[in-house]
Amino acid sequence: MMYRCGWGAKEGQETVLAVEISRDGFEWALRNACLSSYVRGVHPDRATWQRQLKRAPTRVQWDPERDLHLQALPYRSLQLGLSGEAARRYADEWTIAIRDVTPLAHEVHGLVNRGELDSVMRLLPQELPYPAGKESLAHLLG
């Protein structure tokens, strides 16, 4: 995700934060989410989806995952948008820790530019698929 803010170099996005939230909070957000776009077979019809989207405190969009050179990978990652009650819960209940990782973003960017990908991988946390059951995500699989 660090690349989205230009590795902490884009104007107005010079600080990169790592926000840790509770698992209970994240799962609440997933349970109460609606896909950000209509998907035939997931939603009964477009009008029903539009009503669900208006009421949902969280929205899900599936974006292509990227490698360190920003090339698309063959799988997608969930992007979660929060509003209303979800945003309040995020700020007041779910947030466990916030760390400034701007120096890390700068270091990772420099290593990527020099082609030192093994060094980058040692700095970044290992990413694993989220262990949610398909039944809890059925309404989000488009």
Side-chain angles (χ1 to χ4, degrees):
M1 293 294 297
M2 293 177 185
Y3 74 87
R4 290 187 177 208
C5 64
W7 307 97
K10 281 186 183 176
E11 185 176 338
Q13 299 181 41
E14 294 89 354
T15 301
V16 183
L17 300 176
V19 180
E20 181 181 350
I21 67 170
S22 70
R23 183 179 191 113
D24 287 344
F26 184 69
E27 290 182 355
W28 184 96
L30 291 178
R31 282 191 311 276
N32 290 279
C34 181
L35 286 172
S36 62
S37 57
Y38 171 74
V39 177
R40 186 180 312 228
V42 173
H43 305 103
D45 54 60
R46 191 173 292 276
T48 301
W49 163 73
Q50 287 174 327
R51 284 191 303 277
Q52 290 172 345
L53 186 63
K54 256 186 201 166
R55 288 191 310 263
T58 55
R59 294 179 179 196
V60 163
Q61 177 175 308
W62 292 96
D63 290 342
E65 186 60 62
R66 306 260 173 208
D67 67 15
L68 290 169
H69 293 292
L70 307 185
Q71 302 301 307
L73 294 169
Y75 53 92
R76 295 183 174 267
S77 290
L78 180 139
Q79 186 179 93
L80 187 63
L82 307 177
S83 65
E85 181 182 2
R88 183 196 58 75
R89 286 176 178 242
Y90 172 78
D92 296 340
E93 300 170 19
W94 304 341
T95 301
I96 295 169
I98 301 173
R99 291 180 294 116
D100 183 349
V101 294
T102 306
L104 175 62
H106 294 165
E107 183 178 2
V108 166
H109 187 222
L111 290 167
V112 168
N113 284 341
R114 291 191 300 276
E116 298 178 32
L117 301 186
D118 288 339
S119 295
V120 171
M121 297 312 290
R122 285 192 291 275
L123 291 175
L124 297 176
Q126 181 183 11
E127 294 183 14
L128 301 169
Y130 189 73
K134 287 204 182 221
E135 63 283 345
S136 66
L137 293 180
H139 68 293
L140 303 175
L141 299 174

